[in-house]
Amino acid sequence: MPRSRSLRRSAATAAALVCAVTAGTLLGVAGPAAAHGGPAEPGQTDLTPHVTSPRVMAEMRDDEIATLGPEHAEEHARMRAAIRGIGDYPQTTRTNRLNALTDSQAAHNAAFDAATFGVFNDYFPSPDFGDHVALLPTGKVLLFSFERIETNPEKEPAPTQTTGAENAGRAFLWDPAKGTGPGAFKQVTPPTVDMPDGLGQPRPAPFFCSGHSFLPNGMLGVFGGNLGGNGGTGAKLSLIFDPWSETWTRNPDMSVGRWYPSVVTGADGRQLIMSGQSELGWGTPTPVVERFPAKGFPVPTARTDTPTNTPVDRLRSDAPFTLDYPHLFSLNDGNVYGFGRQANEQWKFDPVTESRSDLTPRPDGRKRNYGSAVMLPGGVNGPDSALILGGDRDNPSTLRFSNGSWTAEKSRAFGRTQDDTILLPNGGLMTVNGAYDIRDYGNGPYNPNADLKYRQIELRDDQGNWKLGPVQRLPRGYHSNAVVLPDGRVMVTGDELQQLANNPDIDGTVSGIPGTTGPVTMNGTIEIYEPAYLHQGARPTLNNVPTAPVVYNRMFTVTTSTPTLASKAVLLAPTTSTHSVNTSQRHIDLRITSRAGNRLQLQAPPDAKAAPPGWYMLFLLNDQGVPSVAQWVQLNSQS
């Protein structure tokens, strides 16, 4: 934003605030609008403000509601709340920071050829921080986090230590097909929950810092969250997001609270839930392993199979991780591998026998902070190995686990934590985001100034070689995320501190977002990266895929209007991630068994161990690895 526009905005905001304060002085200052908790009686005007943020509710005034109407009064309240929240981190600093980052990105990236390194080409505001993300089989992206309690990036914006109404969840959908404006987003607020904190203050479920993975019918299971206080107290929440109806469902609580758990979907389609700080607060990680749906309850496979009144049950084996958010992967032997952040906390879990066995300790012997890990492509039989990388600011090494043992792979350029490493359709890896430590970008905790290197992506080819690439606009560390979209682009989001520190208008409310009845705070940002393959010539076209579920090991037919460009077919599982943990993404080659004109016959993965049941993006690639736009297919063991 130009400086003159920023000054005009500040002046306008101040003037509006003076008008609001003057009106309050003349008419008498009343209590907060929380008193207006219910709808109007028949025949009366409904003066209930459409407010979701407790900070805004605290600034609502009865006199303004009566004289201006609820929506206009809410605008005044939001301005007051925003100005109070700015504190000692002025808007001018935020604007100058973003301008400096924009300029340095352009200068640095001018040396990188898009056809070799890809390019960052879009950057736009989002109504959510994006601390949690999930690419849904509708092509939309679910983003969720929390209602901020602070706008100063030198302080903690999350209500970790907060109980009551301020500790609330927040969720939105972004539809890439609708572009980047407010109309491309939709608010999908989680269920209202009266949390067991003794305060009797229902609010949208505080599910931030939960764990999540996909069910076979494309729905997202979300487990845990924050009850508030004591360093982060685990919530027992068990929720489902239905991408088809775009609604939430709450199921019976888990037996234990979980703050920072991990969740993985196994070959049987059931989810295993591990780790997390318990309902007793920080320092009490739970060893209890729970399963959803519980045995005796069906695994949902159809779009209409919404789990309701569906409990978890407990596995007979425990998972004694002492640190939270372990990496969990279901590899192609059907077992779940748990790679803990402590070097000696590496275990294999058999979901069938409900047993746990030891794995060889990680040979680096070091504790890793939040760092990335990914299942490596394993051809048509699915992944049999995983790459553990990141999480150690002093060590750039990467370690591969395969067939029960560890081997050193080629290192990245430098050590980083809070990074995200994702699989691309061509089988390559991309690392984006990262920091020196939690809330530390190289210049001390809660100092948003970042070393440039943490903004630079790294790319790995199929020979395991890494190369540094262009830089992203914002540095993004803690709570950052990256998602491969069906068109092959990469969405980058997350890290509330950096988004607050570089917001060109921290007041930032917009109207017109579906699912809302008033202005919405534009908390976050999204940046789009185009990989090099989108700048390497013509793409294959994938026209039609089966609409019925594809059965394992059977042949199925797709059509393409560019059959001569279709050299390869792959499945790529969609991402759902948080805190550098991405248990879902996997890459599987599909055999092309025959060709006839514009028709290709493909062979599905051999079984659910190779690719757990669920929805996948199907890409066609040319002989240089350039992918088509993906189409969605569902894998299922039933015909």
Side-chain angles (χ1 to χ4, degrees):
M1 179 188 297
R3 185 171 182 270
S4 58
R5 180 181 171 190
S6 175
L7 292 174
R8 289 196 299 271
R9 164 69 74 175
S10 299
T13 300
L17 183 57
V18 169
C19 293
V21 172
T22 302
T25 302
L26 293 174
L27 297 174
V29 177
H36 300 274
E41 295 295 327
Q44 295 181 347
T45 302
D46 184 1
L47 299 181
T48 305
H50 301 288
V51 181
T52 58
S53 168
R55 287 295 174 97
V56 176
M57 291 184 70
E59 296 288 339
M60 292 294 290
R61 296 178 178 175
D62 289 348
D63 56 322
E64 291 182 356
I65 295 172
T67 58
L68 303 176
E71 291 192 4
H72 193 180
E74 183 182 346
E75 292 177 6
H76 285 214
R78 286 185 180 277
M79 285 186 286
R80 284 191 291 270
I83 287 177
R84 291 184 194 278
I86 288 174
D88 56 354
Y89 203 88
Q91 179 61 63
T92 51
T93 302
R94 304 174 205 268
T95 303
N96 290 337
R97 282 182 52 85
L98 181 60
N99 290 341
L101 290 171
T102 302
D103 292 344
S104 66
Q105 182 187 38
H108 183 83
N109 290 352
F112 288 92
D113 175 50
T116 304
F117 295 95
V119 62
F120 285 95
N121 72 345
D122 210 349
Y123 180 88
F124 52 94
S126 164
D128 195 79
F129 289 128
D131 292 359
H132 300 258
V133 297
L135 173 62
L136 306 173
T138 58
K140 300 178 183 180
V141 181
L142 177 68
L143 305 103
F144 58 102
S145 59
F146 50 82
E147 293 288 353
R148 71 191 190 195
I149 62 169
E150 178 62 62
T151 61
N152 187 335
E154 297 170 317
K155 301 177 182 179
E156 177 56 58
T160 301
Q161 292 291 89
T162 303
T163 56
E166 281 196 310
N167 184 2
R170 177 182 177 103
F172 291 82
L173 288 172
W174 174 49
D175 185 353
K178 293 184 178 179
T180 61
F185 296 90
K186 176 183 177 181
Q187 189 163 26
V188 285
T189 303
T192 298
V193 177
D194 188 359
M195 299 297 291
D197 54 16
L199 298 177
Q201 297 179 2
R203 72 278 195 175
F207 50 16
F208 64 98
C209 297
S210 58
H212 30 91
S213 71
F214 291 106
L215 289 162
N217 63 351
M219 296 181 186
L220 186 74
V222 178
F223 303 93
N226 180 37
L227 184 58
N230 200 17
T233 303
K236 298 181 180 181
L237 293 168
S238 174
L239 303 168
I240 294 292
F241 184 77
D242 180 347
W244 315 111
S245 64
E246 299 181 349
T247 57
W248 292 91
T249 299
R250 183 184 179 189
N251 279 296
D253 284 351
M254 297 180 291
S255 65
V256 294
R258 296 183 188 272
W259 168 245
Y260 290 43
S262 295
V263 184
V264 65
T265 303
D268 60 357
R270 298 183 191 272
Q271 297 168 306
L272 295 185
I273 310 156
M274 301 186 196
S275 192
Q277 307 295 320
S278 80
E279 66 274 19
L280 302 180
W282 191 261
T284 63
T286 178
V288 172
V289 179
E290 293 178 286
R291 172 176 48 201
F292 182 88
K295 275 193 173 180
F297 287 79
V299 174
T301 58
R303 297 185 184 188
T304 54
D305 293 342
T306 304
T308 56
N309 298 315
T310 302
V312 300
D313 63 355
R314 180 170 177 172
L315 239 62
R316 289 196 293 268
S317 60
D318 284 347
F321 293 106
T322 58
L323 296 175
D324 42 63
Y325 278 130
H327 295 287
L328 303 179
F329 296 126
S330 180
L331 296 181
N332 66 4
D333 60 0
N335 293 308
V336 169
Y337 289 78
F339 301 109
R341 292 164 55 200
Q342 295 282 25
N344 63 344
E345 294 180 359
Q346 318 294 316
W347 292 296
K348 179 174 69 175
F349 301 87
D350 187 331
V352 176
T353 63
E354 302 185 27
S355 61
R356 183 188 86 236
S357 56
D358 293 339
L359 299 175
T360 304
R362 202 175 59 241
D364 57 9
R366 305 166 70 105
K367 184 186 83 170
R368 288 183 179 245
N369 205 332
Y370 303 113
S372 54
V374 65
M375 289 180 283
L376 292 172
V380 297
N381 293 316
D384 63 1
S385 60
L387 195 67
I388 310 298
L389 61 172
D392 191 333
R393 65 195 187 195
D394 300 317
N395 184 358
S397 69
T398 66
L399 293 169
R400 176 176 182 152
F401 181 88
S402 183
N403 297 319
S405 62
W406 296 90
T407 55
E409 296 279 309
K410 295 174 182 177
S411 296
R412 294 184 299 185
F414 54 88
R416 61 173 106 189
T417 72
Q418 332 302 328
D419 57 304
D420 299 281
T421 301
I422 54 176
L423 283 160
L424 299 175
N426 62 3
L429 300 183
M430 172 188 175
T431 292
V432 65
N433 303 321
Y436 181 73
D437 204 348
I438 296 174
R439 310 294 201 202
D440 187 339
Y441 310 88
N443 294 285
Y446 290 92
N447 181 340
N449 294 319
D451 294 348
L452 185 139
K453 68 180 184 180
Y454 295 122
R455 297 163 56 199
Q456 193 165 13
I457 69 169
E458 291 192 64
L459 302 167
R460 183 181 187 264
D461 60 26
D462 53 9
Q463 282 80 46
N465 300 305
W466 292 94
K467 62 182 179 183
L468 287 168
V471 300
Q472 59 203 91
R473 179 79 52 89
L474 297 193
R476 298 182 193 260
Y478 196 48
H479 294 165
S480 64
N481 285 296
V483 176
V484 178
L485 299 173
D487 62 8
R489 297 180 301 161
V490 176
M491 166 193 177
V492 182
T493 190
D495 190 334
E496 62 275 7
L497 287 192
Q498 289 293 339
Q499 291 173 113
L500 292 173
N502 298 285
N503 194 322
D505 181 7
I506 196 64
D507 191 14
T509 60
V510 300
S511 299
I513 293 181
T516 64
T517 56
V520 172
T521 304
M522 298 301 280
N523 280 333
T525 57
I526 292 171
E527 189 162 10
I528 300 297
Y529 168 76
E530 290 185 354
Y533 51 62
L534 296 181
H535 299 269
Q536 294 174 347
R539 306 176 68 176
T541 300
L542 177 59
N543 299 106
N544 295 290
V545 299
T547 56
V550 172
V551 179
Y552 291 107
N553 211 37
R554 293 191 186 175
M555 308 299 174
F556 65 99
T557 301
V558 302
T559 63
T560 172
S561 56
T562 58
T564 59
L565 290 179
S567 299
K568 189 176 182 180
V570 303
L571 294 179
L572 189 65
T575 286
T576 179
S577 64
T578 187
H579 291 77
S580 301
V581 173
N582 179 353
T583 68
S584 63
Q585 203 192 26
R586 66 204 296 132
H587 183 283
I588 307 106
D589 288 344
L590 299 177
R591 290 189 176 93
I592 301 177
T593 58
S594 68
R595 298 172 180 265
N598 67 346
R599 297 163 64 87
L600 302 178
Q601 188 178 69
L602 309 179
Q603 185 172 7
D607 53 35
K609 295 178 181 179
W615 287 82
Y616 291 77
M617 291 181 284
L618 172 56
F619 291 91
L620 297 180
L621 296 93
N622 70 11
D623 56 4
Q624 299 300 310
V626 177
S628 67
V629 174
Q631 300 278 357
W632 290 92
V633 297
Q634 186 184 19
L635 291 180
N636 200 335
S637 58
Q638 302 172 1
S639 59

